[in-house]
Amino acid sequence: MGKNLTEKEFKKLIQKHIRNVDFVKVTIDDDCAIFGFLVKFSNDFVMIEESNDFALAGTKIIPYNSIRSIRNNMYDKVSKAIYVSEKLIQFNQDIINKTNLDNAEALFKSIKKQDFHCIVESSKNKKDLFSIGEILEVKSKSVVINNYDPAGRINKKPHKISFKNIDLINFNDNYTKVFRKYLTQKNT
C-alpha cells in the first residue's frame, strides 16, 4: 500500500485520482508498473484503464492488496495534459459500470457476461502462469479459462486458476478482441 498512508488515507487517494481523472503510475508487489487512469475500486480490486504510447490499451484489474504505490508526479501531470489536449481520454462507462469488483467470483462473472476474453496472470508455487481466452466457468474459488496459444489453437484442457493466485486480469484490450476472431478450432 502507499508509503506512510493509513488504509483510509490510501482509499481517499484512490478516490481523488478517480475523481480528478489523474494519469498515474501504479506499482504492484512484483515491482511491475502500470500506467493509466484509475476508474473504479473496491476492497478487493482496483480497475485501471491502462495506457501505452498515448492510447488507452485496455482494462486492467489489480488485486487491491498487491498495490505498493500510486504515483502522480509532474511527469504524470504532463502526460494527462497531453491526453486531454489530444482528446484521448474516452472511457467506456458502460464497461466500467458493468464490471463488478465486489469479489473475484462477481468480477469474472461480470467479465463473462460482457462477452470478453481475458488474460489472467497468476503465480503458483513461485511459477508464473499466463492464461488467455474465454471464461468457461466461474466457481466460488476459481475460474476456468479456455486457453489458446500464440498460433490461435485452443488447448484441449482449459486452465483452472485459483483466485488466491491471481496477480493481474486484463480485458477489453486490442490483443484479446482481435485475436479471438482468428482462433482455430484445432485443439493442442
Side-chain angles (χ1 to χ4, degrees), residues 149-183:
D149 68 17
R153 296 177 304 221
I154 298 171
N155 293 355
K156 288 180 184 174
K157 186 177 178 190
H159 289 176
K160 181 178 179 181
I161 305 162
S162 173
F163 293 148
K164 67 182 180 184
N165 295 329
I166 292 177
D167 298 318
L168 293 170
I169 304 153
N170 203 48
F171 71 100
N172 187 34
D173 58 300
N174 279 342
Y175 190 85
T176 58
K177 289 193 298 189
V178 172
F179 206 93
R180 77 186 279 184
K181 295 178 190 179
Y182 299 96
L183 295 177

PDB file of all heavy atoms in Angstrom, residues 149-183:
ATOM      1  N   ASP A 149      -3.202 -20.736 -27.597  1.00  0.00           N
ATOM      2  CA  ASP A 149      -1.779 -20.454 -27.742  1.00  0.00           C
ATOM      3  C   ASP A 149      -1.541 -19.363 -28.790  1.00  0.00           C
ATOM      4  O   ASP A 149      -2.477 -18.918 -29.444  1.00  0.00           O
ATOM      5  CB  ASP A 149      -1.004 -21.742 -28.049  1.00  0.00           C
ATOM      6  CG  ASP A 149      -1.302 -22.326 -29.417  1.00  0.00           C
ATOM      7  OD1 ASP A 149      -1.849 -21.613 -30.301  1.00  0.00           O
ATOM      8  OD2 ASP A 149      -0.983 -23.502 -29.635  1.00  0.00           O
ATOM      9  N   PRO A 150      -0.285 -18.920 -28.977  1.00  0.00           N
ATOM     10  CA  PRO A 150       0.022 -17.854 -29.927  1.00  0.00           C
ATOM     11  C   PRO A 150      -0.293 -18.189 -31.389  1.00  0.00           C
ATOM     12  O   PRO A 150      -0.319 -17.301 -32.229  1.00  0.00           O
ATOM     13  CB  PRO A 150       1.525 -17.617 -29.743  1.00  0.00           C
ATOM     14  CG  PRO A 150       1.812 -18.080 -28.360  1.00  0.00           C
ATOM     15  CD  PRO A 150       0.888 -19.237 -28.137  1.00  0.00           C
ATOM     16  N   ALA A 151      -0.531 -19.478 -31.691  1.00  0.00           N
ATOM     17  CA  ALA A 151      -0.928 -19.861 -33.048  1.00  0.00           C
ATOM     18  C   ALA A 151      -2.446 -19.856 -33.202  1.00  0.00           C
ATOM     19  O   ALA A 151      -2.967 -20.171 -34.264  1.00  0.00           O
ATOM     20  CB  ALA A 151      -0.374 -21.253 -33.381  1.00  0.00           C
ATOM     21  N   GLY A 152      -3.160 -19.503 -32.136  1.00  0.00           N
ATOM     22  CA  GLY A 152      -4.614 -19.439 -32.207  1.00  0.00           C
ATOM     23  C   GLY A 152      -5.294 -20.775 -31.992  1.00  0.00           C
ATOM     24  O   GLY A 152      -6.474 -20.922 -32.283  1.00  0.00           O
ATOM     25  N   ARG A 153      -4.555 -21.760 -31.488  1.00  0.00           N
ATOM     26  CA  ARG A 153      -5.144 -23.080 -31.233  1.00  0.00           C
ATOM     27  C   ARG A 153      -5.621 -23.149 -29.784  1.00  0.00           C
ATOM     28  O   ARG A 153      -4.884 -22.823 -28.857  1.00  0.00           O
ATOM     29  CB  ARG A 153      -4.129 -24.178 -31.507  1.00  0.00           C
ATOM     30  CG  ARG A 153      -3.702 -24.226 -32.978  1.00  0.00           C
ATOM     31  CD  ARG A 153      -2.651 -25.273 -33.170  1.00  0.00           C
ATOM     32  NE  ARG A 153      -1.532 -24.985 -32.257  1.00  0.00           N
ATOM     33  CZ  ARG A 153      -0.265 -25.094 -32.575  1.00  0.00           C
ATOM     34  NH1 ARG A 153       0.083 -25.507 -33.763  1.00  0.00           N
ATOM     35  NH2 ARG A 153       0.684 -24.811 -31.699  1.00  0.00           N
ATOM     36  N   ILE A 154      -6.843 -23.620 -29.622  1.00  0.00           N
ATOM     37  CA  ILE A 154      -7.421 -23.755 -28.287  1.00  0.00           C
ATOM     38  C   ILE A 154      -6.891 -25.030 -27.650  1.00  0.00           C
ATOM     39  O   ILE A 154      -6.893 -26.100 -28.258  1.00  0.00           O
ATOM     40  CB  ILE A 154      -8.962 -23.778 -28.372  1.00  0.00           C
ATOM     41  CG1 ILE A 154      -9.452 -22.452 -28.959  1.00  0.00           C
ATOM     42  CG2 ILE A 154      -9.572 -24.022 -26.994  1.00  0.00           C
ATOM     43  CD1 ILE A 154     -10.921 -22.408 -29.295  1.00  0.00           C
ATOM     44  N   ASN A 155      -6.406 -24.914 -26.416  1.00  0.00           N
ATOM     45  CA  ASN A 155      -5.876 -26.071 -25.702  1.00  0.00           C
ATOM     46  C   ASN A 155      -6.973 -27.101 -25.438  1.00  0.00           C
ATOM     47  O   ASN A 155      -8.134 -26.740 -25.261  1.00  0.00           O
ATOM     48  CB  ASN A 155      -5.264 -25.655 -24.363  1.00  0.00           C
ATOM     49  CG  ASN A 155      -4.029 -24.802 -24.529  1.00  0.00           C
ATOM     50  OD1 ASN A 155      -3.545 -24.568 -25.627  1.00  0.00           O
ATOM     51  ND2 ASN A 155      -3.519 -24.323 -23.427  1.00  0.00           N
ATOM     52  N   LYS A 156      -6.577 -28.382 -25.392  1.00  0.00           N
ATOM     53  CA  LYS A 156      -7.538 -29.450 -25.105  1.00  0.00           C
ATOM     54  C   LYS A 156      -8.101 -29.317 -23.701  1.00  0.00           C
ATOM     55  O   LYS A 156      -9.278 -29.573 -23.473  1.00  0.00           O
ATOM     56  CB  LYS A 156      -6.878 -30.824 -25.253  1.00  0.00           C
ATOM     57  CG  LYS A 156      -6.606 -31.211 -26.674  1.00  0.00           C
ATOM     58  CD  LYS A 156      -5.964 -32.585 -26.742  1.00  0.00           C
ATOM     59  CE  LYS A 156      -5.610 -32.904 -28.188  1.00  0.00           C
ATOM     60  NZ  LYS A 156      -4.854 -34.144 -28.294  1.00  0.00           N
ATOM     61  N   LYS A 157      -7.242 -28.952 -22.769  1.00  0.00           N
ATOM     62  CA  LYS A 157      -7.666 -28.863 -21.377  1.00  0.00           C
ATOM     63  C   LYS A 157      -7.655 -27.392 -20.942  1.00  0.00           C
ATOM     64  O   LYS A 157      -6.618 -26.739 -20.985  1.00  0.00           O
ATOM     65  CB  LYS A 157      -6.738 -29.684 -20.482  1.00  0.00           C
ATOM     66  CG  LYS A 157      -7.184 -29.749 -19.059  1.00  0.00           C
ATOM     67  CD  LYS A 157      -6.270 -30.638 -18.230  1.00  0.00           C
ATOM     68  CE  LYS A 157      -6.752 -30.625 -16.782  1.00  0.00           C
ATOM     69  NZ  LYS A 157      -5.796 -31.255 -15.902  1.00  0.00           N
ATOM     70  N   PRO A 158      -8.806 -26.882 -20.502  1.00  0.00           N
ATOM     71  CA  PRO A 158      -8.852 -25.493 -20.025  1.00  0.00           C
ATOM     72  C   PRO A 158      -8.012 -25.314 -18.760  1.00  0.00           C
ATOM     73  O   PRO A 158      -7.726 -26.279 -18.055  1.00  0.00           O
ATOM     74  CB  PRO A 158     -10.325 -25.262 -19.712  1.00  0.00           C
ATOM     75  CG  PRO A 158     -11.069 -26.427 -20.239  1.00  0.00           C
ATOM     76  CD  PRO A 158     -10.100 -27.536 -20.441  1.00  0.00           C
ATOM     77  N   HIS A 159      -7.628 -24.075 -18.484  1.00  0.00           N
ATOM     78  CA  HIS A 159      -6.861 -23.756 -17.278  1.00  0.00           C
ATOM     79  C   HIS A 159      -7.814 -23.406 -16.142  1.00  0.00           C
ATOM     80  O   HIS A 159      -8.673 -22.541 -16.291  1.00  0.00           O
ATOM     81  CB  HIS A 159      -5.950 -22.552 -17.510  1.00  0.00           C
ATOM     82  CG  HIS A 159      -4.809 -22.825 -18.410  1.00  0.00           C
ATOM     83  ND1 HIS A 159      -3.936 -21.843 -18.801  1.00  0.00           N
ATOM     84  CD2 HIS A 159      -4.359 -23.957 -19.002  1.00  0.00           C
ATOM     85  CE1 HIS A 159      -3.015 -22.357 -19.598  1.00  0.00           C
ATOM     86  NE2 HIS A 159      -3.264 -23.637 -19.744  1.00  0.00           N
ATOM     87  N   LYS A 160      -7.632 -24.061 -15.017  1.00  0.00           N
ATOM     88  CA  LYS A 160      -8.380 -23.720 -13.801  1.00  0.00           C
ATOM     89  C   LYS A 160      -7.431 -22.902 -12.935  1.00  0.00           C
ATOM     90  O   LYS A 160      -6.343 -23.353 -12.602  1.00  0.00           O
ATOM     91  CB  LYS A 160      -8.832 -24.976 -13.065  1.00  0.00           C
ATOM     92  CG  LYS A 160      -9.623 -24.676 -11.810  1.00  0.00           C
ATOM     93  CD  LYS A 160     -10.084 -25.964 -11.139  1.00  0.00           C
ATOM     94  CE  LYS A 160     -10.841 -25.668  -9.869  1.00  0.00           C
ATOM     95  NZ  LYS A 160     -11.270 -26.892  -9.188  1.00  0.00           N
ATOM     96  N   ILE A 161      -7.847 -21.696 -12.583  1.00  0.00           N
ATOM     97  CA  ILE A 161      -6.987 -20.776 -11.846  1.00  0.00           C
ATOM     98  C   ILE A 161      -7.661 -20.408 -10.528  1.00  0.00           C
ATOM     99  O   ILE A 161      -8.790 -19.909 -10.515  1.00  0.00           O
ATOM    100  CB  ILE A 161      -6.723 -19.498 -12.677  1.00  0.00           C
ATOM    101  CG1 ILE A 161      -6.154 -19.860 -14.046  1.00  0.00           C
ATOM    102  CG2 ILE A 161      -5.791 -18.553 -11.920  1.00  0.00           C
ATOM    103  CD1 ILE A 161      -6.258 -18.752 -15.056  1.00  0.00           C
ATOM    104  N   SER A 162      -6.960 -20.646  -9.461  1.00  0.00           N
ATOM    105  CA  SER A 162      -7.457 -20.287  -8.139  1.00  0.00           C
ATOM    106  C   SER A 162      -7.401 -18.771  -7.967  1.00  0.00           C
ATOM    107  O   SER A 162      -6.407 -18.137  -8.316  1.00  0.00           O
ATOM    108  CB  SER A 162      -6.601 -20.976  -7.076  1.00  0.00           C
ATOM    109  OG  SER A 162      -6.955 -20.509  -5.796  1.00  0.00           O
ATOM    110  N   PHE A 163      -8.460 -18.204  -7.433  1.00  0.00           N
ATOM    111  CA  PHE A 163      -8.495 -16.752  -7.227  1.00  0.00           C
ATOM    112  C   PHE A 163      -7.332 -16.263  -6.372  1.00  0.00           C
ATOM    113  O   PHE A 163      -6.808 -15.177  -6.601  1.00  0.00           O
ATOM    114  CB  PHE A 163      -9.818 -16.326  -6.574  1.00  0.00           C
ATOM    115  CG  PHE A 163     -11.032 -16.523  -7.437  1.00  0.00           C
ATOM    116  CD1 PHE A 163     -12.250 -16.834  -6.861  1.00  0.00           C
ATOM    117  CD2 PHE A 163     -10.976 -16.386  -8.813  1.00  0.00           C
ATOM    118  CE1 PHE A 163     -13.386 -17.005  -7.640  1.00  0.00           C
ATOM    119  CE2 PHE A 163     -12.103 -16.563  -9.617  1.00  0.00           C
ATOM    120  CZ  PHE A 163     -13.316 -16.866  -9.012  1.00  0.00           C
ATOM    121  N   LYS A 164      -6.913 -17.057  -5.401  1.00  0.00           N
ATOM    122  CA  LYS A 164      -5.853 -16.610  -4.485  1.00  0.00           C
ATOM    123  C   LYS A 164      -4.499 -16.472  -5.189  1.00  0.00           C
ATOM    124  O   LYS A 164      -3.605 -15.809  -4.679  1.00  0.00           O
ATOM    125  CB  LYS A 164      -5.734 -17.544  -3.285  1.00  0.00           C
ATOM    126  CG  LYS A 164      -5.251 -18.927  -3.617  1.00  0.00           C
ATOM    127  CD  LYS A 164      -5.197 -19.805  -2.390  1.00  0.00           C
ATOM    128  CE  LYS A 164      -4.707 -21.193  -2.791  1.00  0.00           C
ATOM    129  NZ  LYS A 164      -4.713 -22.112  -1.689  1.00  0.00           N
ATOM    130  N   ASN A 165      -4.359 -17.053  -6.394  1.00  0.00           N
ATOM    131  CA  ASN A 165      -3.095 -16.983  -7.131  1.00  0.00           C
ATOM    132  C   ASN A 165      -3.077 -15.900  -8.207  1.00  0.00           C
ATOM    133  O   ASN A 165      -2.084 -15.743  -8.912  1.00  0.00           O
ATOM    134  CB  ASN A 165      -2.788 -18.331  -7.784  1.00  0.00           C
ATOM    135  CG  ASN A 165      -2.554 -19.420  -6.760  1.00  0.00           C
ATOM    136  OD1 ASN A 165      -2.061 -19.161  -5.674  1.00  0.00           O
ATOM    137  ND2 ASN A 165      -2.933 -20.630  -7.101  1.00  0.00           N
ATOM    138  N   ILE A 166      -4.159 -15.155  -8.356  1.00  0.00           N
ATOM    139  CA  ILE A 166      -4.249 -14.179  -9.449  1.00  0.00           C
ATOM    140  C   ILE A 166      -3.491 -12.897  -9.113  1.00  0.00           C
ATOM    141  O   ILE A 166      -3.660 -12.315  -8.049  1.00  0.00           O
ATOM    142  CB  ILE A 166      -5.727 -13.873  -9.779  1.00  0.00           C
ATOM    143  CG1 ILE A 166      -6.367 -15.127 -10.394  1.00  0.00           C
ATOM    144  CG2 ILE A 166      -5.839 -12.681 -10.731  1.00  0.00           C
ATOM    145  CD1 ILE A 166      -7.833 -15.002 -10.696  1.00  0.00           C
ATOM    146  N   ASP A 167      -2.632 -12.496 -10.050  1.00  0.00           N
ATOM    147  CA  ASP A 167      -1.848 -11.267  -9.916  1.00  0.00           C
ATOM    148  C   ASP A 167      -2.444 -10.114 -10.725  1.00  0.00           C
ATOM    149  O   ASP A 167      -2.481  -8.987 -10.267  1.00  0.00           O
ATOM    150  CB  ASP A 167      -0.407 -11.498 -10.369  1.00  0.00           C
ATOM    151  CG  ASP A 167       0.299 -12.543  -9.532  1.00  0.00           C
ATOM    152  OD1 ASP A 167       0.122 -12.531  -8.296  1.00  0.00           O
ATOM    153  OD2 ASP A 167       1.014 -13.372 -10.113  1.00  0.00           O
ATOM    154  N   LEU A 168      -2.896 -10.388 -11.952  1.00  0.00           N
ATOM    155  CA  LEU A 168      -3.454  -9.363 -12.840  1.00  0.00           C
ATOM    156  C   LEU A 168      -4.521  -9.975 -13.736  1.00  0.00           C
ATOM    157  O   LEU A 168      -4.424 -11.150 -14.112  1.00  0.00           O
ATOM    158  CB  LEU A 168      -2.375  -8.782 -13.760  1.00  0.00           C
ATOM    159  CG  LEU A 168      -1.261  -7.964 -13.145  1.00  0.00           C
ATOM    160  CD1 LEU A 168      -0.177  -7.699 -14.180  1.00  0.00           C
ATOM    161  CD2 LEU A 168      -1.794  -6.653 -12.619  1.00  0.00           C
ATOM    162  N   ILE A 169      -5.486  -9.152 -14.110  1.00  0.00           N
ATOM    163  CA  ILE A 169      -6.519  -9.545 -15.073  1.00  0.00           C
ATOM    164  C   ILE A 169      -6.594  -8.430 -16.100  1.00  0.00           C
ATOM    165  O   ILE A 169      -6.628  -7.249 -15.742  1.00  0.00           O
ATOM    166  CB  ILE A 169      -7.894  -9.716 -14.386  1.00  0.00           C
ATOM    167  CG1 ILE A 169      -7.798 -10.730 -13.248  1.00  0.00           C
ATOM    168  CG2 ILE A 169      -8.960 -10.126 -15.403  1.00  0.00           C
ATOM    169  CD1 ILE A 169      -8.807 -10.519 -12.154  1.00  0.00           C
ATOM    170  N   ASN A 170      -6.612  -8.804 -17.359  1.00  0.00           N
ATOM    171  CA  ASN A 170      -6.679  -7.830 -18.438  1.00  0.00           C
ATOM    172  C   ASN A 170      -7.823  -8.209 -19.371  1.00  0.00           C
ATOM    173  O   ASN A 170      -7.959  -9.376 -19.723  1.00  0.00           O
ATOM    174  CB  ASN A 170      -5.347  -7.820 -19.192  1.00  0.00           C
ATOM    175  CG  ASN A 170      -5.108  -6.536 -19.936  1.00  0.00           C
ATOM    176  OD1 ASN A 170      -5.270  -5.465 -19.390  1.00  0.00           O
ATOM    177  ND2 ASN A 170      -4.704  -6.645 -21.184  1.00  0.00           N
ATOM    178  N   PHE A 171      -8.633  -7.244 -19.774  1.00  0.00           N
ATOM    179  CA  PHE A 171      -9.687  -7.485 -20.762  1.00  0.00           C
ATOM    180  C   PHE A 171      -9.993  -6.186 -21.490  1.00  0.00           C
ATOM    181  O   PHE A 171      -9.445  -5.142 -21.153  1.00  0.00           O
ATOM    182  CB  PHE A 171     -10.948  -8.094 -20.108  1.00  0.00           C
ATOM    183  CG  PHE A 171     -11.727  -7.157 -19.243  1.00  0.00           C
ATOM    184  CD1 PHE A 171     -12.868  -6.534 -19.733  1.00  0.00           C
ATOM    185  CD2 PHE A 171     -11.350  -6.898 -17.937  1.00  0.00           C
ATOM    186  CE1 PHE A 171     -13.597  -5.666 -18.934  1.00  0.00           C
ATOM    187  CE2 PHE A 171     -12.067  -6.039 -17.125  1.00  0.00           C
ATOM    188  CZ  PHE A 171     -13.201  -5.410 -17.629  1.00  0.00           C
ATOM    189  N   ASN A 172     -10.824  -6.268 -22.509  1.00  0.00           N
ATOM    190  CA  ASN A 172     -11.179  -5.100 -23.313  1.00  0.00           C
ATOM    191  C   ASN A 172      -9.953  -4.480 -23.970  1.00  0.00           C
ATOM    192  O   ASN A 172      -9.874  -3.275 -24.179  1.00  0.00           O
ATOM    193  CB  ASN A 172     -11.931  -4.067 -22.454  1.00  0.00           C
ATOM    194  CG  ASN A 172     -12.481  -2.921 -23.271  1.00  0.00           C
ATOM    195  OD1 ASN A 172     -12.873  -3.097 -24.418  1.00  0.00           O
ATOM    196  ND2 ASN A 172     -12.505  -1.741 -22.700  1.00  0.00           N
ATOM    197  N   ASP A 173      -8.978  -5.313 -24.290  1.00  0.00           N
ATOM    198  CA  ASP A 173      -7.747  -4.851 -24.929  1.00  0.00           C
ATOM    199  C   ASP A 173      -7.742  -5.306 -26.389  1.00  0.00           C
ATOM    200  O   ASP A 173      -8.429  -6.257 -26.753  1.00  0.00           O
ATOM    201  CB  ASP A 173      -6.526  -5.409 -24.195  1.00  0.00           C
ATOM    202  CG  ASP A 173      -6.543  -6.922 -24.165  1.00  0.00           C
ATOM    203  OD1 ASP A 173      -7.497  -7.496 -23.614  1.00  0.00           O
ATOM    204  OD2 ASP A 173      -5.612  -7.540 -24.715  1.00  0.00           O
ATOM    205  N   ASN A 174      -6.969  -4.641 -27.206  1.00  0.00           N
ATOM    206  CA  ASN A 174      -6.927  -4.982 -28.632  1.00  0.00           C
ATOM    207  C   ASN A 174      -6.456  -6.405 -28.877  1.00  0.00           C
ATOM    208  O   ASN A 174      -6.946  -7.084 -29.775  1.00  0.00           O
ATOM    209  CB  ASN A 174      -6.026  -4.007 -29.402  1.00  0.00           C
ATOM    210  CG  ASN A 174      -6.745  -2.723 -29.728  1.00  0.00           C
ATOM    211  OD1 ASN A 174      -7.970  -2.656 -29.686  1.00  0.00           O
ATOM    212  ND2 ASN A 174      -5.988  -1.687 -30.027  1.00  0.00           N
ATOM    213  N   TYR A 175      -5.493  -6.875 -28.099  1.00  0.00           N
ATOM    214  CA  TYR A 175      -4.947  -8.212 -28.318  1.00  0.00           C
ATOM    215  C   TYR A 175      -6.037  -9.276 -28.225  1.00  0.00           C
ATOM    216  O   TYR A 175      -6.214 -10.071 -29.139  1.00  0.00           O
ATOM    217  CB  TYR A 175      -3.819  -8.501 -27.328  1.00  0.00           C
ATOM    218  CG  TYR A 175      -3.065  -9.769 -27.668  1.00  0.00           C
ATOM    219  CD1 TYR A 175      -2.026  -9.746 -28.589  1.00  0.00           C
ATOM    220  CD2 TYR A 175      -3.403 -10.988 -27.090  1.00  0.00           C
ATOM    221  CE1 TYR A 175      -1.342 -10.895 -28.922  1.00  0.00           C
ATOM    222  CE2 TYR A 175      -2.721 -12.143 -27.419  1.00  0.00           C
ATOM    223  CZ  TYR A 175      -1.695 -12.096 -28.337  1.00  0.00           C
ATOM    224  OH  TYR A 175      -1.021 -13.242 -28.665  1.00  0.00           O
ATOM    225  N   THR A 176      -6.782  -9.284 -27.123  1.00  0.00           N
ATOM    226  CA  THR A 176      -7.811 -10.321 -26.980  1.00  0.00           C
ATOM    227  C   THR A 176      -8.997 -10.084 -27.911  1.00  0.00           C
ATOM    228  O   THR A 176      -9.581 -11.042 -28.413  1.00  0.00           O
ATOM    229  CB  THR A 176      -8.315 -10.437 -25.520  1.00  0.00           C
ATOM    230  OG1 THR A 176      -8.826  -9.177 -25.089  1.00  0.00           O
ATOM    231  CG2 THR A 176      -7.220 -10.904 -24.591  1.00  0.00           C
ATOM    232  N   LYS A 177      -9.353  -8.828 -28.145  1.00  0.00           N
ATOM    233  CA  LYS A 177     -10.505  -8.556 -29.011  1.00  0.00           C
ATOM    234  C   LYS A 177     -10.225  -8.963 -30.457  1.00  0.00           C
ATOM    235  O   LYS A 177     -11.094  -9.503 -31.127  1.00  0.00           O
ATOM    236  CB  LYS A 177     -10.904  -7.078 -28.937  1.00  0.00           C
ATOM    237  CG  LYS A 177     -11.527  -6.719 -27.607  1.00  0.00           C
ATOM    238  CD  LYS A 177     -12.208  -5.366 -27.583  1.00  0.00           C
ATOM    239  CE  LYS A 177     -11.326  -4.210 -27.843  1.00  0.00           C
ATOM    240  NZ  LYS A 177     -11.941  -2.904 -27.615  1.00  0.00           N
ATOM    241  N   VAL A 178      -9.025  -8.714 -30.938  1.00  0.00           N
ATOM    242  CA  VAL A 178      -8.692  -9.062 -32.322  1.00  0.00           C
ATOM    243  C   VAL A 178      -8.340 -10.544 -32.446  1.00  0.00           C
ATOM    244  O   VAL A 178      -8.824 -11.234 -33.339  1.00  0.00           O
ATOM    245  CB  VAL A 178      -7.534  -8.180 -32.853  1.00  0.00           C
ATOM    246  CG1 VAL A 178      -7.065  -8.660 -34.217  1.00  0.00           C
ATOM    247  CG2 VAL A 178      -7.968  -6.722 -32.929  1.00  0.00           C
ATOM    248  N   PHE A 179      -7.512 -11.048 -31.537  1.00  0.00           N
ATOM    249  CA  PHE A 179      -7.030 -12.424 -31.643  1.00  0.00           C
ATOM    250  C   PHE A 179      -8.169 -13.439 -31.621  1.00  0.00           C
ATOM    251  O   PHE A 179      -8.130 -14.444 -32.320  1.00  0.00           O
ATOM    252  CB  PHE A 179      -6.027 -12.729 -30.522  1.00  0.00           C
ATOM    253  CG  PHE A 179      -5.062 -13.813 -30.889  1.00  0.00           C
ATOM    254  CD1 PHE A 179      -3.836 -13.505 -31.449  1.00  0.00           C
ATOM    255  CD2 PHE A 179      -5.372 -15.149 -30.694  1.00  0.00           C
ATOM    256  CE1 PHE A 179      -2.942 -14.502 -31.796  1.00  0.00           C
ATOM    257  CE2 PHE A 179      -4.483 -16.148 -31.037  1.00  0.00           C
ATOM    258  CZ  PHE A 179      -3.272 -15.825 -31.589  1.00  0.00           C
ATOM    259  N   ARG A 180      -9.212 -13.190 -30.844  1.00  0.00           N
ATOM    260  CA  ARG A 180     -10.310 -14.159 -30.750  1.00  0.00           C
ATOM    261  C   ARG A 180     -11.010 -14.371 -32.091  1.00  0.00           C
ATOM    262  O   ARG A 180     -11.600 -15.416 -32.315  1.00  0.00           O
ATOM    263  CB  ARG A 180     -11.290 -13.759 -29.653  1.00  0.00           C
ATOM    264  CG  ARG A 180     -12.226 -12.626 -30.014  1.00  0.00           C
ATOM    265  CD  ARG A 180     -13.076 -12.182 -28.863  1.00  0.00           C
ATOM    266  NE  ARG A 180     -14.212 -13.057 -28.681  1.00  0.00           N
ATOM    267  CZ  ARG A 180     -15.173 -12.889 -27.794  1.00  0.00           C
ATOM    268  NH1 ARG A 180     -15.127 -11.858 -26.962  1.00  0.00           N
ATOM    269  NH2 ARG A 180     -16.169 -13.718 -27.703  1.00  0.00           N
ATOM    270  N   LYS A 181     -10.924 -13.397 -32.989  1.00  0.00           N
ATOM    271  CA  LYS A 181     -11.527 -13.542 -34.320  1.00  0.00           C
ATOM    272  C   LYS A 181     -10.802 -14.600 -35.161  1.00  0.00           C
ATOM    273  O   LYS A 181     -11.361 -15.121 -36.112  1.00  0.00           O
ATOM    274  CB  LYS A 181     -11.467 -12.211 -35.084  1.00  0.00           C
ATOM    275  CG  LYS A 181     -12.280 -11.100 -34.505  1.00  0.00           C
ATOM    276  CD  LYS A 181     -12.072  -9.855 -35.360  1.00  0.00           C
ATOM    277  CE  LYS A 181     -12.638  -8.629 -34.741  1.00  0.00           C
ATOM    278  NZ  LYS A 181     -12.393  -7.431 -35.576  1.00  0.00           N
ATOM    279  N   TYR A 182      -9.553 -14.879 -34.835  1.00  0.00           N
ATOM    280  CA  TYR A 182      -8.722 -15.745 -35.669  1.00  0.00           C
ATOM    281  C   TYR A 182      -8.388 -17.079 -35.006  1.00  0.00           C
ATOM    282  O   TYR A 182      -7.456 -17.761 -35.431  1.00  0.00           O
ATOM    283  CB  TYR A 182      -7.442 -15.000 -36.055  1.00  0.00           C
ATOM    284  CG  TYR A 182      -7.776 -13.764 -36.848  1.00  0.00           C
ATOM    285  CD1 TYR A 182      -7.884 -12.530 -36.225  1.00  0.00           C
ATOM    286  CD2 TYR A 182      -8.043 -13.840 -38.197  1.00  0.00           C
ATOM    287  CE1 TYR A 182      -8.241 -11.392 -36.935  1.00  0.00           C
ATOM    288  CE2 TYR A 182      -8.390 -12.714 -38.931  1.00  0.00           C
ATOM    289  CZ  TYR A 182      -8.492 -11.490 -38.290  1.00  0.00           C
ATOM    290  OH  TYR A 182      -8.860 -10.380 -39.001  1.00  0.00           O
ATOM    291  N   LEU A 183      -9.126 -17.448 -33.989  1.00  0.00           N
ATOM    292  CA  LEU A 183      -8.890 -18.722 -33.321  1.00  0.00           C
ATOM    293  C   LEU A 183      -9.268 -19.878 -34.238  1.00  0.00           C
ATOM    294  O   LEU A 183     -10.268 -19.805 -34.961  1.00  0.00           O
ATOM    295  CB  LEU A 183      -9.711 -18.821 -32.038  1.00  0.00           C
ATOM    296  CG  LEU A 183      -9.369 -17.838 -30.940  1.00  0.00           C
ATOM    297  CD1 LEU A 183     -10.329 -18.006 -29.762  1.00  0.00           C
ATOM    298  CD2 LEU A 183      -7.930 -18.017 -30.478  1.00  0.00           C
TER     299      LEU A 183
END
